[in-house]
Amino acid sequence: MYEDKTLKCKECGNEFVFTAGEQEFYAERGFVNEPQRCKSCRDARKNRDRPEREMFTATCASCGKEAKVPFRPREDRPVYCSECFAKMKDAE
């Protein structure tokens, strides 16, 4: 029913594919207009007004490596690097 379409981004001018699946999604939601921007331009536009996230440095309580976290570490709570945190989640 739907076929992939190649569209041109009005922001950067690059071509992008409006897939059959995306077209079906648009139709299900009642959207009548095709997208005018490619995915990267849409994402940039969404994040344009969002402030940069402040990152804090901490020492991983498991392996001792330096870790960057999006919250201010507290002395009474352990902080883990992303690798150790993932290992702990997999063990659950």
Side-chain angles (χ1 to χ4, degrees), residues 62-78:
S62 182
C63 70
K65 290 194 303 188
E66 185 179 281
K68 296 275 189 196
V69 293
F71 56 88
R72 187 178 307 278
R74 295 180 0 198
E75 295 294 324
D76 62 332
R77 307 271 326 245

Side-chain angles (χ1 to χ4, degrees), residues 5 11 16-17 21 32 38 44 46 49 56 58 60 69 72 78-79:
K5 287 184 185 178
E11 195 90 15
F16 66 98
V17 177
V32 293
C38 65
K46 282 182 203 171
D49 297 330
F56 299 89
C60 177
V69 293
R72 187 178 307 278
V79 175

Side-chain angles (χ1 to χ4, degrees), residues 42-56:
R42 286 194 314 263
D43 290 345
R45 190 176 163 100
K46 282 182 203 171
N47 295 326
R48 183 175 45 211
D49 297 330
R50 190 175 293 170
E52 190 71 28
R53 199 168 197 191
E54 184 178 2
M55 298 297 278
F56 299 89

Side-chain angles (χ1 to χ4, degrees), residues 58-68 78-88:
T59 302
C60 177
S62 182
C63 70
K65 290 194 303 188
E66 185 179 281
K68 296 275 189 196
V79 175
Y80 301 100
C81 67
S82 55
E83 292 174 14
C84 292
F85 186 77
K87 288 177 191 172
M88 289 174 44

